[in-house]
Amino acid sequence: MAYTQFIDGELTSGAQRESWINYNPATNLPLGEAFHANAQDIDATVASAEKAFHTWRAKTGAERGRVLVKTAEILRSRIEQIALLETQDVGKPIAESLAVDVSSAADALEYFGGIAASIHGDYVDLKNAFGYTRPEPLGVCAGIGAWNYPIQIAAWKAAPALACGNAMIFKPSELTPVSALELAKAFMDAGAPAGLFNVVQGDGRVGAMLVDHPQIAKVSLTGSVATGKKIYAGAAPLLKRVTLELGGKSPLIVFDDADITNAVSAALLANFYTQGEVCSNGTRVFVQRKILNAFLAQLKERTEKIRVGDPADPDTHMGAVISAAHLEKVMSFIDAGKAAGATLLTGGDKPVKDFKGRDISAGNFITPAIFTNCDDAMEICREEIFGPVLSILVFDEEEEVIQRANNSVYGLAAGVFTNDIKRGHRVIHQLQAGTCWINNYNITPIELPFGGNKQSGMGRENSLAAIQYYTQLKSVYVELGNVDAPY
Ligand code: NAD
């Protein structure tokens, strides 16, 4: 396969472009060749998006919404094909790509398609006058994605941007160039004007060209804190708007009155879904001392039953991490945890056979790891590992755990397990995090805002809240009397 740019409604030539090989993380065999956008491609994609923007913004919200809803229907009708492409590209289990990745992309398109006709300003009654506001589109917006949820990230950015009347140029991660092209095709098949959703391929250099381009009004990134800081700085000279969805090291707090089975289920979901490569993961699991042993016994037993193996097998629970280099990075965190004195309760090795006895030694597999005897200062408890590594931290008092949970530069997410309704809310209200759960974890319905506080980012995706990040408000004063001039 060749993964080229998708500009003005069609795939472009890869000729005379720098290229790289895209690998399947489960086998490390090539899936295809991807072609880096050059400066001419960037100019062509911006010109095409500007043209589409002028056609698109002139449509009514209802007309725009219809195209988004149709795109969602097309994605759902192609779900098996796209989910398989995503699984091969990312290494995640097919059960996940079917149930979550493609579906949540379609959910976003349906949701923002549904509200596109209702995006409106306010009317203000004034003395002998009135005023009103218009939420107007920004223009051409750039979306830059991470590799863990490629089509979901593309749709979470494109759906609100397009619903508000903008055009979008999307750059997927260089590690996952595949599914954004499927989204682009679905938009075209749904009747979107050519250029409304373009895709450019490449690494951070292409991302930086988008950030620098004077005709791009806004940049929305999903990626690491380090990249977020570069984009924020890069957007500053032209005072471009930015939305930054960045990394985290989120706390999941389990009080001793919690339902232990539910809390263990949440801890597993919060650490091992998508091989632990989820930004909002609750990787610091704080457990109140009284229930520590019961919690650990169940956590260990259920973790050891996680079926690691071929991501294309519907029975697989956990696939391969994104790249051989990322596997080494995760393994080096595990080594650091051991060296710092934490106890590796289970996992953390590279399996040779999968749960059905198949040879998986060529892929980037790792068994889910649990560390106990951790302390807050250890590297594994401070840094985002972005792999299947869970750290257990023990606590005694509510005040203590709140202070320890907040002792992080990150503030993406947090969870609390308790059967005391007052404590649940009291604790959550004091946690410095943008996205929180009481008695569950990592559930991200399209109806609720998603995003981070502190260094985990700024702006919000999903829900009605996303509209303000893809529009600019115009205030209009209308005089009903005479102009009162002192001259
Ligand atoms: P990354 O920061 O390395 O790359 C993200 C994207 O930014 C890629 O497309 C990359 O090519 C691009 N990029 C890199 N340098 C750039 C530059 N100077 N200018 C413009 N673009 C540039 O992140 P990653 O390794 O792809 O993804 C993992 C990270 O993403 C983790 O930190 C994870 O927590 C975070 N993430 C956050 C969310 C969220 O919603 N908060 C969701 C998923 C992933």
Side-chain angles (χ1 to χ4, degrees):
M1 279 298 297
Y3 311 112
T4 56
Q5 334 305 318
F6 191 98
I7 299 175
D8 213 35
E10 47 193 45
L11 287 165
T12 65
S13 161
Q16 296 170 338
R17 306 288 190 285
E18 196 184 311
S19 74
W20 73 97
I21 301 297
N22 184 39
Y23 292 96
N24 180 339
T27 57
N28 280 315
L29 294 172
L31 285 170
E33 187 176 11
F35 295 86
H36 224 272
N38 60 23
Q40 289 73 36
D41 293 327
I42 298 297
D43 285 341
T45 194
V46 172
S48 143
E50 279 199 318
K51 187 163 56 78
F53 167 60
H54 291 295
T55 315
W56 185 245
R57 75 172 303 185
K59 291 186 184 297
T60 65
E63 287 168 333
R64 292 197 292 264
R66 230 171 277 143
V67 173
L68 298 192
V69 171
K70 180 78 185 156
T71 308
E73 281 167 16
I74 291 171
L75 286 189
R76 290 198 202 282
S77 73
R78 296 175 187 168
I79 192 165
E80 292 192 354
Q81 175 222 340
I82 300 175
L84 183 60
L85 289 173
E86 201 77 318
T87 280
Q88 290 167 341
D89 200 16
V90 184
K92 64 170 69 192
I94 187 76
E96 287 187 18
S97 345
L98 281 169
V100 174
D101 295 67
V102 186
S103 312
S104 100
D107 287 350
L109 290 156
E110 258 160 18
Y111 177 85
F112 286 103
I115 63 169
S118 309
I119 297 169
H120 60 77
D122 288 324
Y123 167 86
V124 183
D125 211 14
L126 301 167
K127 191 174 179 189
N128 244 351
F130 68 91
Y132 62 94
T133 58
R134 282 168 54 81
E136 297 186 341
L138 302 170
V140 177
C141 301
I144 300 179
W147 44 260
N148 57 340
Y149 279 83
I151 197 162
Q152 180 194 54
I153 291 170
W156 280 19
K157 296 188 188 308
L162 271 45
C164 295
N166 303 285
M168 175 158 274
I169 300 168
F170 186 78
K171 189 198 85 61
S173 164
E174 59 274 28
L175 296 175
T176 51
V178 181
S179 61
L181 298 173
E182 298 302 316
L183 180 60
K185 285 183 215 158
F187 274 124
M188 290 303 295
D189 293 344
L196 186 69
F197 181 80
N198 289 332
V199 177
V200 291
Q201 306 281 4
D203 58 22
R205 289 170 292 166
V206 174
M209 283 196 266
L210 295 175
V211 175
D212 291 344
H213 203 290
Q215 261 79 50
I216 291 180
K218 183 214 165 97
V219 181
S220 175
L221 166 77
T222 296
S224 61
V225 171
T227 303
K229 288 178 181 174
K230 284 185 204 160
I231 288 183
Y232 201 23
L238 294 178
L239 290 177
K240 285 186 190 184
R241 287 157 177 75
V242 292
T243 291
L244 301 173
E245 294 284 356
L246 310 177
K249 187 75 192 175
S250 301
L252 167 58
I253 302 172
V254 184
F255 285 98
D256 58 17
D257 65 342
D259 178 313
I260 293 192
T261 299
N262 278 331
V264 169
S265 297
L268 295 169
L269 283 173
N271 281 277
F272 303 137
Y273 208 73
T274 307
Q275 303 78 239
E277 298 161 322
V278 180
C279 52
S280 50
N281 270 358
T283 46
R284 292 184 291 148
V285 181
F286 289 93
V287 183
Q288 204 159 14
R289 195 175 303 277
K290 208 165 108 195
I291 55 160
L292 180 66
N293 290 341
F295 185 90
L296 280 183
Q298 194 182 138
L299 182 70
K300 178 171 187 290
E301 188 193 332
R302 291 173 62 184
T303 299
E304 287 171 353
K305 286 188 186 146
I306 290 176
R307 299 192 289 260
V308 179
D310 178 2
D313 184 330
D315 294 332
T316 293
H317 287 146
M318 221 176 92
V321 300
I322 188 71
S323 65
H326 190 59
L327 177 64
E328 287 319 309
K329 187 179 154 203
V330 175
M331 295 307 289
S332 73
F333 272 111
I334 290 175
D335 290 342
K338 289 190 224 166
T343 306
L344 189 58
L345 184 66
T346 187
D349 37 45
K350 298 180 189 172
V352 176
K353 303 259 185 222
D354 83 352
F355 66 105
K356 287 189 179 166
R358 290 171 291 221
D359 185 348
I360 51 167
S361 55
N364 312 319
F365 292 91
I366 175 173
T367 54
I370 299 172
F371 274 112
T372 57
N373 294 320
C374 300
D375 74 58
D376 301 0
M378 287 177 181
E379 196 183 10
I380 53 167
C381 300
R382 283 187 290 108
E383 304 286 329
E384 183 183 43
I385 300 175
F386 223 54
V389 184
L390 181 162
S391 295
I392 296 284
L393 295 154
V394 187
F395 74 96
D396 293 295
E397 303 296 335
E398 183 179 310
E399 283 308 307
E400 168 210 340
V401 77
I402 292 168
Q403 185 271 325
R404 289 171 62 193
N406 285 338
N407 187 15
S408 169
V409 297
Y410 298 109
L412 183 53
V416 171
F417 267 78
T418 176
N419 275 328
D420 177 342
I421 190 168
K422 291 183 189 163
R423 173 154 68 187
H425 293 288
R426 185 171 66 229
V427 173
I428 279 290
H429 293 181
Q430 293 176 80
L431 292 177
Q432 296 164 353
T435 307
C436 296
W437 298 274
I438 298 176
N439 292 335
N440 210 329
Y441 204 89
N442 264 353
I443 310 296
T444 54
I446 189 71
E447 297 88 345
L448 267 179
F450 182 84
N453 293 347
K454 294 159 88 174
Q455 290 192 30
S456 290
M458 60 185 68
R460 291 293 179 267
E461 293 193 318
N462 297 347
S463 81
L464 296 175
I467 299 300
Q468 67 178 287
Y469 299 103
Y470 283 103
T471 52
Q472 52 198 342
L473 215 51
K474 177 176 282 173
S475 301
V476 183
Y477 175 99
V478 183
E479 181 59 61
L480 297 178
N482 293 321
V483 177
D484 184 14
Y487 321 106

